[in-house]
Amino acid sequence: MKSAKASRPFSSAHSLAELVIILLAICASFDVIAIAIGGYQMTLTNNDTPPIIGTLQLVARFTAFTVFLIWFYRAHRNLQALGIRRGRYSSPWTVLLFLVPILNLYYAYDLVKELWRQSSPDLGFSDDFLKQNAFTLEHYPSKTALIGLWWGFTIASLLAARFSDRITGTWMDLTSDALAAVASILLILIVKNIDARQEEKHRRLTLDAVTRKAIDLVVATEFSRAASSKN
C-alpha cells in the first residue's frame, strides 16, 4: 500500500473541495426536508414518506460520495508535493479502501484522519523557518474530534436505516436522516479544513523556497565580495 512514486507538483484541490461542500450541503438539506415531511406524515393516517424524497436523497448522496472520492484522491496525491515522502497508503488504495465492504468501516475513518494529520502546515519545516515566522504563522493542530464525530454519526445513521428496514418505523427513518444530516455537516467542516491546511502548507513551502533562495543569493554575494577584496 505504500507509495514509491516520484513526487508530483502540487495541484490545488480547492475547486473540488468547494464542489464537495456544496453537494454535502444539498444532502443535508434533503435530509432536513425528509425529516420535516416525515414528521408531518406521522400526524396523518397515511404516514408513508413520498418516494421522491428518498430518491432525491439517494441521488444526492451517491453524487456527493463520488465527487468526495475524486477530491480525496487529488488531496492525498498532493501529499508528496507537500513533503510527505512515505505515506501508509498509495492514492489508488485510498479510493479502493473506501469501497470495500467491512474494511471501509475502519479504513474510511483512518484514511481521513491520516490525510488531516499529514496535511498539517506545521510539518516538514525547519525550526529556523518556524522561528522566523512565529508571529505570522497560525498553528494547526494535528488532531481533531471532528473526524471521530463524523464517522460516529455516519455509522449510527447506517444502523438506524438498517433497523428501519427491519421494523418499519417512520421515527427510525427520521432518526437516520437526522444523524445523516449531522454527519454531512461534520464532513463539510472536515473537507473545508483539510483543503485550507493543504493550501496553507503549499503557501509556506513556496515562501520557504523563496527565503532559501534569497539567503543563498546573499551568501553567494558576500562570498564573491570577500573573494574580490582579497584579490
Side-chain angles (χ1 to χ4, degrees):
M1 295 184 190
K2 291 184 178 180
S3 175
K5 294 183 179 180
S7 178
R8 300 181 178 88
F10 180 80
S11 177
S12 176
H14 181 66
S15 296
L16 276 172
E18 289 186 326
L19 181 56
V20 172
I21 289 171
I22 291 172
L23 291 172
L24 288 172
I26 292 174
C27 288
S29 298
F30 282 146
D31 288 333
V32 171
I33 292 172
I35 293 170
I37 293 177
Y40 174 72
Q41 292 289 342
M42 288 181 69
T43 65
L44 305 177
T45 303
N46 178 16
N47 61 357
D48 293 331
T49 303
I52 186 62
I53 299 300
T55 301
L56 290 174
Q57 287 176 289
L58 182 62
V59 171
R61 289 173 183 173
F62 176 79
T63 305
F65 180 65
T66 301
V67 179
F68 170 80
L69 288 182
I70 296 172
W71 166 80
F72 194 93
Y73 176 82
R74 173 80 67 81
H76 192 275
R77 194 174 62 174
N78 275 335
L79 291 178
Q80 288 186 2
L82 295 175
I84 304 298
R85 300 305 177 191
R86 288 194 174 188
R88 289 190 294 156
Y89 310 99
S90 66
S91 295
W93 270 103
T94 62
V95 175
L96 292 175
L97 288 173
F98 267 104
L99 300 174
V100 179
I102 307 301
L103 290 180
N104 57 12
L105 293 176
Y106 167 76
Y107 282 106
Y109 164 78
D110 192 56
L111 287 165
V112 175
K113 184 175 69 172
E114 182 186 63
L115 182 62
W116 176 287
R117 182 179 60 82
Q118 293 186 335
S119 298
S120 173
D122 297 330
L123 296 178
F125 294 95
S126 65
D127 293 337
D128 291 337
F129 174 81
L130 296 175
K131 289 178 181 179
Q132 290 173 0
N133 299 276
F135 296 103
T136 59
L137 296 180
E138 179 184 352
H139 173 66
Y140 288 79
S142 60
K143 297 181 180 180
T144 177
L146 287 174
I147 298 173
L149 289 172
W150 157 68
W151 198 234
F153 275 98
T154 299
I155 296 299
S157 175
L158 293 174
L159 290 175
R162 179 61 62 89
F163 280 123
S164 177
D165 292 338
R166 291 176 178 272
I167 64 178
T168 312
T170 302
W171 65 272
M172 189 61 78
D173 288 330
L174 301 184
T175 301
S176 176
D177 290 336
L179 293 168
V182 175
S184 294
I185 294 171
L186 289 169
L187 189 54
I188 286 174
L189 296 176
I190 293 170
V191 171
K192 183 177 181 179
N193 276 277
I194 290 177
D195 177 61
R197 290 160 75 90
Q198 290 204 345
E199 294 293 327
E200 174 61 16
K201 187 166 188 178
H202 177 61
R203 186 190 73 81
R204 291 186 185 184
L205 286 170
T206 303
L207 176 62
D208 190 27
V210 171
T211 302
R212 289 175 183 273
K213 288 182 179 179
I215 293 175
D216 290 342
L217 179 61
V218 170
V219 171
T221 302
E222 292 298 325
F223 180 81
S224 177
R225 286 179 179 177
S228 299
S229 63
K230 288 182 180 180
N231 294 333

